Amino acid sequence: MILVTGGAGFIGANFVLDWLATGDEPVVNLDKLTYAGNLENLRQAQGDARHVFVRGDIGDRPLIDALLLQHRPRAIVNFAAESHVDRSIHGPAEFIQTNVVGTFNLLEAVKAYWMQLPAGEQAAFRFLHVSTDEVYGSLGPDEPAFSETTPYAPNSPYSASKAASDHLVRAYHHTYGLPVLTTNCSNNYGPLQFPEKLVPLVIHNALEGKPLPIYGDGSNIRDWLYVGDHCSAIRRVLEAGRVGETYNIGGCNEKTNLEVVKTLCAILDDLHPDSPVVPHAGLITFVTDRPGHDRRYAIDAIKIERELGWKPSETFETGIRKTVAWYLANQDWVTHVTSGEYRSWVSENYALR
Ligand code: NAD
Ligand code: DAU
């Protein structure tokens, strides 16, 4: 079996559900259930004996030791993290705690477990660390896309904490021989994404007739990848990636934020022609920029394509339509996650912009 951390969050839950749907192997899912983790995300896995959910922190060494001993996983996939850049600007401490100290703790526990495995199991073991393209910093308009050899230059507390964790993972391979793999992926979108991030936030606000906040002038560029494609890339790297290597994962879909928001508005106009706020683009509101806002991310994903034969299967157009349709069909889920803590976050982040 495999052990997944952070499997009640956006990408982790999509990964766990896809894992169970595409194979037979059981999965232990360790998640702290922070504001971003939600057991409702795993509803489809309820009653599936191959899915064992454990509430806990990657920073809890006795818990990790016990889980490794009990379940003897052949691989770890580490999604657990604080993931939202704006929150890292308001309060970086949790990011250091989970992303740096937590990953360190996990590596220590996994190293101890791995070292006592029989030789064959040791050789087959994998620790896959899920990271981000933000560790590479910001690109100018004409600079080449990030490759695996682009120097790290993180600009936010979030990306700096992810960069630190990537370095620790690398060092555990180099120093102790731990069989690690690291993936650095671009912006994901799709079902189950918490509506603090641009795509679900815009869909949610648009449906409520609220302003659609665009930081700065909306010309910042991100590369967008449908979450199911990220999950298939991780499965492929876990299966056939070369130990110690890093793989960039991207969608070849560079868009400005304004383009993304206008696309969402046009789809909502199509699907909700009778809404009193049509055209939804009329809700677009430019607000104060994010401090230190990275201008552009772009991914050169040729390595994973050449070595492992992976390519995304969704285009931005197909993926974004599916995503809007999912949010429309799952308004209960949105209502549940946007109560309580969500409201205090929205007033903290947007009230003064
Ligand atoms: P998310 O915030 O939706 O989910 C994170 C999950 O981790 C939550 O379920 C949370 O409860 C859990 N968690 C947080 N701290 C924990 C701890 N100390 N111990 C155990 N569980 C803990 O994040 P996401 O968007 O699904 O991102 C998952 C991973 O992928 C992160 O490592 C992130 O850096 C990386 N990533 C995200 C994107 C993106 O676009 N969202 C892109 C590239 C890489
Ligand atoms: O690139 C990968 C990263 O993508 C991941 O590592 C992060 O975990 C994930 O959160 C995401 O980071 P971004 O900061 O790019 O995502 P976010 O959805 O927060 O913002 C996308 C862009 O939209 C960014 O340029 C900021 C802008 N934005 C965001 C919000 C929330 C707005 O203009 N308005 C908003 O209200």
Side-chain angles (χ1 to χ4, degrees):
M1 66 151 57
I2 64 163
L3 170 67
V4 164
T5 71
F10 163 49
I11 306 173
N14 274 287
F15 180 84
V16 166
L17 296 178
D18 285 3
W19 182 267
L20 294 170
T22 53
D24 299 325
E25 194 174 8
V27 53
V28 177
N29 183 352
L30 171 71
D31 195 296
K32 188 178 171 184
L33 296 182
T34 67
Y35 77 92
N38 181 358
L39 282 179
E40 243 185 282
N41 294 350
L42 296 160
R43 216 166 20 195
Q44 274 169 264
Q46 238 173 21
D48 188 331
R50 297 170 305 153
H51 178 238
V52 178
F53 181 81
V54 179
R55 184 175 192 175
D57 192 326
I58 56 167
D60 180 345
R61 179 70 193 268
L63 173 68
I64 309 289
D65 286 344
L67 283 177
L68 293 172
L69 211 64
Q70 182 187 351
H71 297 288
R72 301 188 62 81
R74 68 161 180 97
I76 316 285
V77 184
N78 183 32
F79 291 97
E82 289 294 333
S83 69
H84 190 34
V85 173
D86 292 319
R87 287 189 192 249
S88 83
I89 295 167
H90 287 255
E94 274 304 307
F95 288 73
I96 303 305
Q97 200 49 46
T98 283
N99 301 1
V100 185
V101 182
T103 305
F104 163 70
N105 183 70
L106 188 63
L107 283 165
E108 277 287 279
V110 169
K111 173 174 67 97
Y113 163 74
W114 171 75
M115 285 178 86
Q116 53 75 52
L117 288 175
E121 288 178 39
Q122 246 188 24
F125 186 81
R126 296 290 181 269
F127 181 98
L128 191 154
H129 178 62
V130 179
S131 192
T132 170
D133 60 357
E134 299 202 10
V135 297
Y136 299 121
S138 184
L139 292 168
D142 301 320
E143 280 184 276
F146 301 132
S147 77
E148 288 77 0
T149 54
T150 302
Y152 274 31
N155 288 319
S156 71
Y158 162 69
S159 53
S161 69
K162 290 296 290 186
S165 66
D166 294 8
H167 289 321
L168 283 168
V169 170
R170 179 179 191 279
Y172 272 64
H173 173 64
H174 191 78
T175 306
Y176 306 111
L178 190 70
V180 306
L181 297 155
T182 297
T183 54
N184 294 88
C185 186
S186 58
N187 282 60
N188 284 212
Y189 65 95
L192 303 176
Q193 188 168 31
F194 193 74
E196 63 186 354
K197 309 279 166 62
L198 182 69
V199 167
L201 179 103
V202 163
I203 299 171
H204 176 59
N205 282 15
L207 291 175
E208 300 227 312
K210 290 185 181 157
L212 311 179
I214 302 220
Y215 297 166
D217 62 3
S219 63
N220 300 65
I221 293 172
R222 298 290 182 266
D223 172 67
W224 294 92
L225 181 71
Y226 188 69
V227 64
D229 280 327
H230 189 187
C231 295
S232 72
I234 292 171
R235 289 200 301 276
R236 186 68 191 129
V237 172
L238 187 60
E239 178 179 57
R242 282 186 295 132
V243 164
E245 292 290 316
T246 68
Y247 292 90
N248 282 357
I249 303 170
C252 259
N253 276 311
E254 280 188 61
K255 306 268 178 224
T256 67
N257 293 338
L258 202 51
E259 282 175 303
V260 170
V261 174
K262 283 186 172 166
T263 302
L264 290 169
C265 289
I267 297 172
L268 286 167
D269 289 350
D270 248 19
L271 299 176
H272 272 232
D274 301 329
S275 161
V277 290
V278 165
H280 291 85
L283 296 169
I284 289 175
T285 309
F286 292 92
V287 300
T288 310
D289 209 352
R290 171 186 281 175
H293 198 175
D294 285 338
R295 287 303 300 172
R296 174 177 166 240
Y297 305 144
I299 283 272
D300 174 351
I302 196 68
K303 178 174 173 181
I304 188 170
E305 184 181 342
R306 273 211 198 114
E307 277 191 20
L308 306 178
W310 176 88
K311 274 213 278 200
S313 58
E314 297 288 345
T315 63
F316 185 69
E317 290 64 33
T318 58
I320 203 77
R321 264 195 178 266
K322 273 191 187 177
T323 303
V324 175
W326 186 88
Y327 281 90
L328 289 175
N330 288 277
Q331 281 298 298
D332 280 2
W333 180 91
V334 177
T335 307
H336 295 164
V337 302
T338 51
S339 58
E341 196 276 347
Y342 180 75
R343 294 199 185 143
S344 41
W345 164 249
V346 166
S347 57
E348 187 182 344
N349 191 43
Y350 295 99
L352 296 176
R353 282 188 188 274

